[in-house]
């Protein structure tokens, strides 16, 4: 049993669903920021879902809540989702329930995942900023909502901070 599974077993079912569906939710937010969902982003999404399963646990990909979120991913990525702010707020509340070690592990995973997804298909022939302005806005919202620390200059630059 993974540390995340052990902890989430102590949560009520609704909070379990919020946490387990968070990875597909965040993926939809980032790749859907510019309302385009291309082949390079799809490949990155698959990689990140596999990484989430490995790093956080199967529940983050295969639970009913994660599966339901994943099943609507491409639609949300193309059309946007008007309730992202509310759902981010809900996720923030649940993330704050995690023990500190798990909370930091989750935040680090989410930070890396979101940055990799945002950079997956940007720029032109390797030139220019790989992260669109729309993606930067979403990244800043995720970072702020989840209390993610952007330690390096590269991470801060990715969000458009000097």
């Amino acid at each position: 049993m993974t540390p995340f599974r052990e902890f989430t077993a102590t949560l009520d079912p609704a909070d379990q669903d919020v946490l387990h569906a968070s990875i597909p939710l965040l993926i939809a937010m980032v790749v859907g920021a510019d309302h385009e969902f291309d082949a390079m982003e799809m490949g990155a999404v698959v990689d990140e879902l596999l990484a989430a399963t490995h790093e956080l646990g199967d529940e983050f990909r295969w639970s009913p809540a994660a599966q339901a979120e994943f099943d609507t991913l491409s639609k949300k990525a193309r059309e946007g989702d008007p309730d992202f702010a509310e759902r981010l707020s809900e996720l923030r509340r649940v993330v704050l329930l995690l023990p500190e070690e798990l909370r930091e592990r989750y935040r680090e995973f989410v930070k890396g995942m979101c940055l990799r997804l945002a950079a997956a298909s940007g720029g032109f022939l390797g030139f220019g900023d790989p992260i669109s302005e729309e993606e930067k806005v979403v990244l800043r919202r995720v970072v702020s909502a989840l209390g993610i620390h952007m330690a390096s200059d590269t991470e801060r630059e990715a969000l458009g901070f000097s």
Side-chain angles (χ1 to χ4, degrees):
M1 183 175 279
T2 69
F4 281 99
R5 182 177 286 176
E6 286 178 28
F7 174 75
T8 57
T10 69
L11 296 173
D12 69 58
D15 287 347
Q16 288 177 18
D17 288 350
V18 167
L19 190 59
H20 292 154
S22 66
I23 298 304
L25 168 71
L26 294 167
I27 288 170
M29 287 181 68
V30 173
V31 300
D34 57 7
H35 303 290
E36 295 179 19
F37 195 37
D38 62 30
M40 291 193 315
E41 286 174 323
M42 181 53 92
V45 165
V46 170
D47 291 345
E48 296 303 333
L49 285 169
L50 292 171
T53 299
H54 174 73
E55 191 67 29
L56 304 175
D58 289 341
E59 311 79 36
F60 288 85
R61 173 62 183 98
W62 298 112
S63 69
Q67 191 62 46
E69 192 69 40
F70 181 71
D71 288 344
T72 60
L73 177 63
S74 65
K75 180 179 183 227
K76 288 180 182 179
R78 288 186 183 99
E79 298 173 6
D81 186 343
D83 68 349
F84 278 151
E86 181 179 327
R87 294 179 70 201
L88 256 183
S89 177
E90 216 177 356
L91 178 58
R92 174 186 175 84
R93 181 186 57 75
V94 174
V95 166
L96 290 173
L97 297 174
L98 289 166
E100 185 175 349
E101 181 182 327
L102 292 180
R103 185 171 51 245
E104 288 312 309
R105 187 171 161 192
Y106 177 84
R107 286 174 172 161
E108 282 300 308
F109 178 80
V110 165
K111 174 175 63 174
M113 177 190 76
C114 288
L115 289 171
R116 288 186 296 273
L117 288 169
S121 70
F124 179 71
L125 299 176
F127 296 101
D129 192 345
I131 301 176
S132 73
E133 290 305 314
E134 297 91 348
E135 290 166 331
K136 287 178 184 180
V137 169
V138 169
L139 289 172
R140 287 191 293 265
R141 287 180 184 157
V142 170
V143 163
S144 177
L146 300 183
I148 296 171
H149 180 65
M150 303 302 275
S152 73
D153 290 340
T154 303
E155 291 170 346
R156 286 190 296 279
E157 282 178 28
L159 297 180
F161 299 133
S162 299

